Amino acid sequence: MDKNNEENRLGYTIGKTNWYLKTLLNKLLKEEECGITNEQWLVLKVVEANPGVSQTQIAEKSQKDKTNITRILDLLEKNVCIERRRDDKDRRIYRIHITDQGKKVLESVSPVTLKTESICKSALPPEKITELIESLNTICERVKREL
């Protein structure tokens, strides 16, 4: 297949854009010395939005595999950003909760994520941004139906 044709494919372009976004966010997080990666930030956001969430639910909501979630949660727990509590009904399950330290970390990261969002939005006029988000959500829902 011709290289130009491959680079114009939808999946390739979405994947490439995702890679650049994650790389930019990690670069900015490092420059601002936030002490967290974009993957840790994403997991922490999921925990903040879903107090008492299980590790399996975090994996589903963050679209990461369970092994990576375990590693990320271990780091977040070591840095006192989250705490694991045993489930009252099923002792095999841990419920994950954000700590005050975790909330402070998210606050410190907020300007960085806003800057990343601003950089992205500066590439297109507002109406195109809205259209792009709607289109990507439509594609996402269509692909999910195939899973």
Side-chain angles (χ1 to χ4, degrees):
M1 176 174 287
D2 181 291
K3 182 180 177 187
N4 288 333
N5 286 342
E6 185 66 30
E7 289 181 358
N8 287 326
R9 288 182 174 244
L10 181 61
Y12 177 87
T13 303
I14 290 171
K16 180 174 67 171
T17 303
N18 183 48
W19 183 88
Y20 277 112
L21 282 170
K22 290 191 295 187
T23 302
L24 174 63
L25 182 54
N26 273 329
K27 175 183 179 275
L28 296 174
L29 289 169
K30 189 173 184 177
E31 286 175 1
E32 294 297 320
E33 299 177 0
C34 292
I36 192 169
T37 65
N38 71 318
E39 287 190 335
Q40 293 166 355
W41 168 77
L42 176 60
V43 168
L44 205 50
K45 288 295 286 181
V46 169
V47 173
E48 178 191 43
N50 303 278
V53 67
S54 72
Q55 188 167 319
T56 300
Q57 291 167 324
I58 293 170
E60 291 167 0
K61 291 178 183 298
S62 65
Q63 297 156 350
K64 305 276 181 210
D65 64 66
K66 290 180 185 178
T67 304
N68 280 337
I69 293 301
T70 299
R71 179 183 52 78
I72 292 167
L73 288 175
D74 287 346
L75 284 168
L76 290 172
E77 187 174 41
K78 180 181 174 186
N79 293 328
V80 197
C81 291
I82 57 115
E83 60 180 35
R84 291 174 164 120
R85 299 179 197 159
R86 289 240 185 234
D87 185 274
D88 293 337
K89 296 176 183 157
D90 187 343
R91 304 291 289 164
R92 297 170 295 173
I93 298 173
Y94 283 95
R95 297 291 171 186
I96 314 301
H97 297 270
I98 192 167
T99 63
D100 288 341
Q101 174 63 24
K103 291 176 184 175
K104 287 178 186 172
V105 168
L106 285 179
E107 285 176 27
S108 74
V109 171
S110 183
V112 176
T113 60
L114 290 173
K115 182 176 181 177
T116 305
E117 182 84 359
S118 176
I119 290 168
C120 292
K121 287 184 172 180
S122 71
L124 296 170
E127 63 276 2
K128 291 280 190 181
I129 296 290
T130 301
E131 186 180 319
L132 176 61
I133 291 169
E134 289 171 356
S135 296
L136 289 171
N137 282 330
T138 300
I139 291 168
C140 188
E141 288 303 313
R142 177 62 182 92
V143 171
K144 277 175 36 179
R145 285 196 309 262
E146 294 295 319
L147 300 176

